[in-house]
Amino acid sequence: MAGKITPSMMCAPLNQIQHYIDVFEEKKIEYLHIDVMDGHFVPNMMLGTSYISSLRRLTSIPLDIHLMITDPEAKLDWFDIQPGEYVSVHYESTPHVQRALQGIKNKGAKTMVALNPGTPIEVLKYLLPDIDGVLLMTVNPGFAGQKLIPQGLDKIRDTKAYLAEHGYGHVEIEVDGNVSWENIPKMAEAGTDLYVAGTSSLFTDKMSLEESVAKFRSLI
Ligand code: DX5
Ligand code: ZN
C-alpha cells in the first residue's frame, strides 16, 4: 500500500499558505500535519486554535493534529476535531493517555499515540486496542530542521514487527522528523505509512512544490 503524505504546516511560509494549499489540493495530498506546542511539554510554541480554524476555512483537506501539550485530555474540545481526522497525543504528556485516546475516539477521529525518540515501544502494549496509529518521532519534538536520530530507523522496523506480533498489523505508523529525500526510502523500507513532510522535503525552494510532491510520491 502506498504511503500517505502529511505536510507540516508550521513549515509553510505565511505569505504563501494559499499557494501551498492549492497545490496540495490539486496533488491530492492526504492530510495536513498541524504541530501544536505549548511551551511546556516542548520548548517551543506553535500553531494555535485560531490558526486551525482559519486553515479549516481555506481547505477541506483533513487535518492530522499532533498535540505536543501537557494533559491533552482536558483540551481536546479546543480543536474542533472532525470525524476521520488524525489526532496524536504523546505517551509522555499525561498520566491519562488512555483517557485522552478515548476522548479522541469519542469525536470519531483516528487515535494516534506519539512516542519521543527515547520512549520504548513496549509502552504501547495495553494501548493497542485503543489506537489506530503510532507516531514515531525521529527527532526530539519542538523544532523543524533537525537531524535524524539514527536509531529511529530501527525503531520503525521494530514497531512494525511488534504490531504484527501482537495481532495489530493494521495499526498505522507515522514518522515525524527529518523525513528527507535521503531518509524517505529507508523509512519506507522500515514500514512507514504516513510521512510528515517538513523542511527536509516539500518546504524547500530548491525545486517547485509540484516537483517536490512528485518526487516524494515516487520515493514512497
Ligand atoms: C515537529 C514537526 C517537525 C518538522 C518536520 O513535530 O512536525 O518534526 O516540522 O520537518 P523537518 O524535520 O523536515 O524540518
Ligand atoms: Zn509533528
Side-chain angles (χ1 to χ4, degrees):
M1 191 184 74
K4 293 178 257 193
I5 306 176
T6 176
S8 172
M9 294 306 289
M10 77 177 205
C11 302
L14 259 190
N15 62 346
Q16 290 177 48
I17 293 266
Q18 189 66 57
H19 165 65
Y20 276 89
I21 286 178
D22 290 345
V23 176
F24 290 158
E25 287 186 345
E26 187 199 317
K27 298 290 175 196
K28 306 210 173 343
I29 285 291
E30 288 84 355
Y31 293 91
L32 298 178
H33 187 82
I34 309 298
D35 287 305
V36 180
M37 305 184 188
D38 65 355
H40 187 250
F41 177 64
V42 286
N44 199 358
M45 285 198 181
M46 274 290 163
L47 305 189
T49 51
S50 57
Y51 174 92
I52 293 175
S53 30
S54 304
L55 193 66
R56 288 191 192 285
R57 285 194 289 274
L58 292 180
T59 181
S60 56
I61 301 176
L63 304 186
D64 161 34
I65 302 175
H66 179 189
L67 296 176
M68 287 165 275
I69 61 178
T70 46
D71 302 332
E73 67 282 359
K75 301 164 188 166
L76 295 174
D77 287 342
W78 300 1
F79 301 97
D80 190 23
I81 295 165
Q82 299 296 309
E85 293 188 329
Y86 285 84
V87 181
S88 313
V89 286
H90 270 263
Y91 177 80
E92 310 85 356
S93 68
T94 170
H96 303 293
V97 70
Q98 202 281 341
R99 181 179 289 157
L101 293 166
Q102 201 57 52
I104 296 166
K105 193 174 183 175
N106 290 344
K107 293 181 183 297
K110 295 186 197 177
T111 54
M112 306 286 283
V113 66
L115 302 181
N116 279 339
T119 303
I121 60 174
E122 286 72 21
V123 302
L124 296 171
K125 184 167 178 187
Y126 296 106
L127 296 173
L128 290 172
D130 301 310
I131 57 176
D132 295 303
V134 181
L135 185 158
L136 297 175
M137 290 302 309
T138 40
V139 300
N140 282 303
F143 301 94
Q146 303 180 78
K147 274 237 143 313
L148 177 85
I149 296 173
Q151 56 271 39
L153 292 172
D154 286 337
K155 194 172 180 183
I156 301 170
R157 211 168 283 117
D158 292 348
T159 304
K160 182 92 184 157
Y162 181 90
L163 293 170
E165 273 161 29
H166 288 79
Y168 287 86
H170 61 280
V171 168
E172 292 183 290
I173 298 178
E174 177 170 12
V175 174
D176 189 0
N178 197 203
V179 178
S180 64
W181 303 130
E182 186 193 342
N183 292 330
I184 291 166
K186 299 175 198 164
M187 291 167 167
E189 181 275 323
T192 304
D193 299 297
L194 279 124
Y195 299 79
V196 179
T199 61
S200 314
S201 61
L202 298 188
F203 298 94
T204 157
D205 49 13
K206 300 215 172 78
M207 62 184 102
S208 76
L209 185 56
E210 287 86 346
E211 286 169 333
S212 303
V213 173
K215 180 169 179 176
F216 210 116
R217 292 263 185 235
S218 73
L219 292 173
I220 61 177

